[in-house]
Amino acid sequence: QVQLVESGGGLVQAGGSLRLSCIASGPISTITSMGWYRQAPGKQRELVATIASGGSAVYADSMKGRFTISTDNAKNTVYLQMNSLKPEDTAVYYCNAEIGPILSIRRYHYWGQGTQVTVSS
């Protein structure tokens, strides 16, 4: 089955940096897009950034200039480089991908299990 596995979360001081990774594995035919969402305690899950297979990226306004999304298509991996982190960036970060599995004509959205990012002041 298709799986997304995130890594790279942790505890960092304000102003610091972290790099998240997410690897998609399993019977994958195509990946249309990959992205990152986050959910802070008591808040709804929100978009961080997405990137299409062609390379075009979309960022939430509050992340522009601080976060960079990129992919390694050969490795089915998406990265999120987070710089100038703020305490309000503290959340569980989830990887998301729109994937067409092998032997399926449809595409589905898959989610990772999430990785905790904590930014201390």
Side-chain angles (χ1 to χ4, degrees):
Q1 62 186 29
V2 174
Q3 289 186 319
L4 302 180
V5 178
E6 302 105 333
S7 61
L11 173 65
V12 64
Q13 288 188 332
S17 298
L18 281 176
R19 189 192 194 207
L20 305 183
S21 301
C22 172
I23 300 174
S25 64
I28 296 170
S29 176
T30 59
I31 298 179
T32 304
S33 66
M34 302 186 81
W36 293 92
Y37 290 73
R38 70 184 187 184
Q39 187 166 19
K43 295 187 177 181
Q44 290 188 332
R45 190 172 297 189
E46 63 175 350
L47 170 71
V48 175
T50 62
I51 185 166
S53 57
S56 60
V58 175
Y59 295 89
D61 287 343
S62 62
M63 287 67 154
K64 288 179 181 177
R66 299 190 299 124
F67 292 6
T68 303
I69 190 170
S70 61
T71 57
D72 184 334
N73 293 331
K75 296 181 179 179
N76 290 343
T77 300
V78 62
Y79 305 97
L80 185 69
Q81 178 66 43
M82 304 185 293
N83 299 326
S84 302
L85 283 162
K86 306 174 182 179
E88 51 264 43
D89 293 319
T90 296
V92 178
Y93 284 69
Y94 295 92
C95 177
N96 173 272
E98 184 178 9
I99 292 173
I102 291 173
L103 301 180
S104 174
I105 61 172
R106 297 183 62 182
R107 290 171 290 186
Y108 302 90
H109 279 275
Y110 294 87
W111 291 91
Q113 80 287 353
T115 185
Q116 177 70 46
V117 171
T118 302
V119 184
S120 63
S121 57

